[in-house]
Amino acid sequence: MTDTISHHLARVAALTPDETAFTFVDHSADIEGVTSSLTWKELDERVRRTAWALRCADVAGERVAVVAPQSLEYVVGFLAITCAGAIAVPLFPPSLPGHEEKLAAVLRDASPKFLLTVEEQRASLTDFCAAHGMSGKFRVVTEQELVQTSVEPREDFDEPLPNDVAYLQYTSGSTRFPAGVAITHANVCHNARQGLEAYDIRRGRNCAVGWLPLYHDMGLVMAVVLPVIGHLPSVLMDPLAFIQQPVRWLRLLTRYDGALSAAPNFAYDYCVRRVDAEERAGLWLGSVAVLINGSEPVGPRTLERFQTAFAPVGMRRTTMRPSYGLAEATVFVCTSPAGEEPTVASFDRQAVGQGTARTLESSDDRAVVELVGCGRPTGQEIAVVDPATGRRREDGTIGEIWLRGPNVGRGYWNQQERSETTFHAVLDGDDPTAPWLRTGDLGVWHDKQLYVTGRLKDLVIIDGTNHYPHDIEETVQAAHPAIRPHHIAAFSLSTTDGERLAVVAEHRRGATRTEVLAQEVTGAVRSAVAAGHGIAVHDFVLAPPGSVPRTTSGKVARSACRDQYLAGAWSADTP
């Protein structure tokens, strides 16, 4: 089998040319949304014409960035670039608030030959390049322009090969040091099949429904590539449409039976807060096949809040599938077992801080940390490893998660040394010719499931004990009603007395920050963290809404937050 995106698209288009392939629901001008669709034949023809136009422009092996809003044009553009034998760089338009520097940094790093956009974005993209000293460096083009200036496609079109790089998936972390993971056609095709098997998704029974950005690894694979490989229809909406009215997503899940969809912790909690009783009454989630929660780690309280809120409209506990993945492994790694409710385990918080996952009974009065099981991998291997020695750790002992499988990317674009360290790790006593991927995530095997405990680089280590920032952030979030949920960053500071804890938390929109409120919230946070974690908060900042930095995928950017803190960004906000 020729395992390329191009081959699979041609196969599906030939089998069912008149079936609907991709649907986009546009809420920009209509509250209910205006639907537009492409059949497999229409999609394939547009993709082939655009791919041929790109080949005529001599882009084979070159990078071509998709810099456009969520749309069918984005889908066509991405697929056309990969089918042309070029390397796609899925990105976002300059209008995405707060991420202009990230876009500029990625464009400099990837150095694409073309920026493929839509006509409505051409002027702003050209102005953006000029403002960042890149005027004339890239050619800004649209699908229509490419097709009009090329000759008719030939039948002897050179297809890409499975080991050719299909796209660069830029991770959502640092702006200063962007990292583009080189994903081959074979990588993403393997990963799509792994996901189809793990989530038990089948043609004729399921479809993909999503609002996640297509420049994000989960959004791209779940909403674009997996439907092509699995021969499934895909329904898309814009992320902004979800933020404006999250019920729109749930209505699509109601409308399209057998839906596979995904969202992070904050989105599920956002639905609970923003979808009122009247809106819920018009929903039915009983036909939803899979809801992926791919946060790191998955929040047990989030799962319970969403289930409680939407159980009256058919939400089944087995529908929610806690999962683990990362861009370096294309996206998907493992998920909770099909047909089973999510497993929440209660571990001794102090023992976890010392590197051991020891379960507690409900009668124990020791401090508890609850973690959600992410099951076992499909079509790949996981090892939990001592990051210092490279030795495999026993079940119940926390270590770094290492991966091996056909879905693991080739490496970081133009970063040979970093790629060698990350993608070519050797497990002690293992075959050195079969290397492992170091994920930088910490986890533990317990009762035949993987539990993700946090990021190695984010650990807050105080007096020799490990503290996980997301665990502290959960405590802070519950400490006072004025704190804005999911807009909190906990990180360590180096002081003359050793490592200490700092926390920056936004206050809710509509709340007026006064000195009295700041002192009240600060006292509540200090007390809650001391009682729950046994450590002192060295400094707490109650920050204005929108000031805690986030990655392009919506996660809190703790490293960036720490940098801003050290630069004095909130010095006036400290109580």
Side-chain angles (χ1 to χ4, degrees):
M1 179 177 64
T2 304
D3 218 7
T4 66
I5 296 172
S6 178
H7 168 79
H8 288 287
L9 177 59
R11 174 182 58 85
V12 172
L15 288 172
T16 56
D18 298 323
E19 284 188 6
T20 299
F22 286 85
T23 298
F24 182 70
V25 184
D26 184 3
H27 295 90
S28 61
D30 186 281
I31 294 177
E32 296 301 319
V34 176
T35 297
S36 55
S37 299
L38 290 172
T39 65
W40 287 111
K41 180 181 179 181
E42 290 168 339
L43 174 67
D44 188 57
E45 287 177 348
R46 279 182 61 175
V47 166
R48 301 295 163 186
R49 283 197 299 268
T50 308
W52 176 253
L54 288 166
R55 288 299 292 265
C56 291
D58 197 27
V59 300
E62 298 283 349
R63 277 81 58 216
V64 178
V66 187
V67 191
Q70 197 109 324
S71 58
L72 292 177
E73 287 76 14
Y74 199 112
V75 175
V76 170
F78 172 80
L79 293 174
I81 295 165
T82 62
C83 291
I87 301 172
V89 186
L91 294 174
F92 46 88
S95 55
L96 185 68
H99 295 288
E100 296 89 348
E101 292 305 318
K102 172 69 182 287
L103 178 60
V106 170
L107 289 175
R108 292 189 187 100
D109 186 70
S111 190
K113 186 170 184 176
F114 290 131
L115 306 185
L116 184 58
T117 189
V118 293
E119 191 60 46
E120 296 78 14
Q121 292 283 333
R122 182 198 290 271
S124 64
L125 186 52
T126 302
D127 291 344
F128 173 85
C129 291
H132 287 80
M134 297 182 289
S135 183
K137 188 172 182 181
F138 319 115
R139 183 182 165 192
V140 180
V141 297
T142 65
E143 176 191 343
Q144 292 74 16
E145 178 187 354
L146 283 169
V147 171
Q148 289 170 2
T149 57
S150 68
V151 298
E152 283 297 312
R154 296 201 314 261
E155 291 296 326
D156 59 341
F157 191 94
D158 290 334
E159 295 284 346
L161 300 174
N163 288 329
D164 289 344
V165 176
Y167 62 99
L168 302 182
Q169 181 64 64
Y170 276 85
T171 58
S172 58
S174 172
T175 295
R176 292 174 298 171
F177 306 106
V181 184
I183 302 295
T184 68
H185 284 266
N187 290 152
V188 72
C189 291
H190 275 294
N191 201 228
R193 284 192 294 272
Q194 290 165 346
L196 290 165
E197 179 183 346
Y199 297 115
D200 192 23
I201 300 301
R202 301 180 189 178
R203 165 172 164 69
R205 188 181 70 184
N206 300 106
C207 65
V209 174
W211 59 267
L212 292 177
L214 297 183
Y215 56 79
H216 184 258
D217 51 5
M218 176 61 82
L220 182 68
V221 175
M222 189 198 74
V224 180
V225 183
L226 184 145
V228 172
I229 306 302
H231 198 168
L232 308 170
S234 179
V235 182
L236 304 166
M237 61 181 280
D238 192 281
L240 180 59
F242 168 79
I243 296 299
Q244 291 170 336
Q245 293 188 36
V247 71
R248 290 167 169 166
W249 175 45
L250 303 182
R251 285 173 180 157
L252 292 183
L253 295 177
T254 298
R255 185 187 311 170
Y256 294 93
D257 290 344
L260 162 71
S261 198
N265 277 328
F266 87 84
Y268 291 108
D269 278 332
Y270 191 57
C271 288
V272 172
R273 295 197 310 271
R274 290 289 304 275
V275 179
D276 61 30
E278 183 178 350
E279 290 173 327
R280 289 179 197 177
L283 301 173
W284 178 252
L285 303 183
S287 67
V288 179
V290 174
L291 286 179
I292 300 169
N293 185 325
S295 301
E296 296 141 21
V298 175
R301 295 173 190 171
T302 295
L303 300 182
E304 190 56 39
R305 285 190 288 262
F306 190 84
Q307 178 62 36
T308 300
F310 294 100
V313 292
M315 178 65 191
R316 293 168 288 122
R317 288 187 180 274
T318 54
T319 299
M320 188 68 76
R321 302 289 297 279
S323 303
Y324 169 65
L326 68 165
E328 286 82 352
T330 304
V331 62
F332 168 75
V333 173
C334 59
T335 187
S336 60
E340 296 184 15
E341 296 182 11
T343 303
V344 179
S346 298
F347 297 106
D348 183 330
R349 175 172 277 149
Q350 185 175 2
V352 168
Q354 298 297 328
T356 302
R358 185 167 63 241
T359 55
L360 291 177
E361 301 298 328
S362 57
S363 58
D364 288 325
D365 58 0
R366 299 175 65 83
V368 169
V369 57
E370 290 184 327
L371 297 176
V372 179
C374 289
R376 302 187 70 82
T378 301
Q380 49 195 300
E381 300 173 77
I382 290 180
V384 175
V385 180
D386 182 334
T389 65
R391 294 193 183 101
R392 194 187 292 265
R393 286 194 157 162
E394 297 178 353
D395 291 4
T397 304
I398 296 168
E400 185 182 7
I401 301 169
W402 288 19
L403 304 176
R404 184 163 64 185
N407 54 298
V408 173
R410 182 174 291 180
Y412 295 118
W413 182 255
N414 283 338
Q415 296 189 41
Q416 184 175 351
E417 185 175 340
R418 185 178 177 189
S419 296
E420 189 67 27
T421 301
T422 304
F423 288 83
H424 295 90
V426 177
L427 194 62
D428 185 59
D430 199 23
D431 180 3
T433 65
W436 294 75
L437 167 71
R438 297 189 60 164
T439 68
D441 293 318
L442 294 172
V444 61
W445 284 115
H446 170 72
D447 199 19
K448 299 181 180 180
Q449 288 203 61
L450 178 72
Y451 288 78
V452 180
T453 58
R455 289 285 293 167
L456 184 59
K457 69 175 184 179
D458 287 341
L459 272 181
V460 177
I461 305 174
I462 297 177
D463 297 330
T465 299
N466 297 335
H467 299 273
Y468 293 91
H470 60 84
D471 195 22
I472 296 170
E473 289 156 7
E474 276 278 338
T475 300
V476 171
Q477 179 172 300
H480 196 281
I483 293 174
R484 189 181 181 195
H486 303 291
H487 289 74
I488 307 157
F491 49 88
S492 62
L493 296 172
S494 295
T495 72
T496 54
D497 297 320
E499 293 294 306
R500 293 294 178 259
L501 172 67
V503 178
V504 177
E506 295 181 12
H507 60 73
R508 289 182 183 268
R509 295 189 184 277
T512 302
R513 186 192 185 282
T514 64
E515 196 64 31
V516 172
L517 177 65
Q519 290 180 358
E520 180 184 316
V521 174
T522 299
V525 167
R526 291 186 188 279
S527 297
V529 173
H533 303 268
I535 55 174
V537 176
H538 177 75
D539 193 16
F540 174 76
V541 177
L542 186 63
S547 58
V548 171
R550 303 179 81 81
T551 69
T552 52
S553 60
K555 300 175 185 176
V556 170
R558 297 188 185 98
S559 295
C561 190
R562 182 178 183 275
D563 290 344
Q564 289 189 20
Y565 172 90
L566 293 174
W570 295 288
S571 56
D573 295 315
T574 305

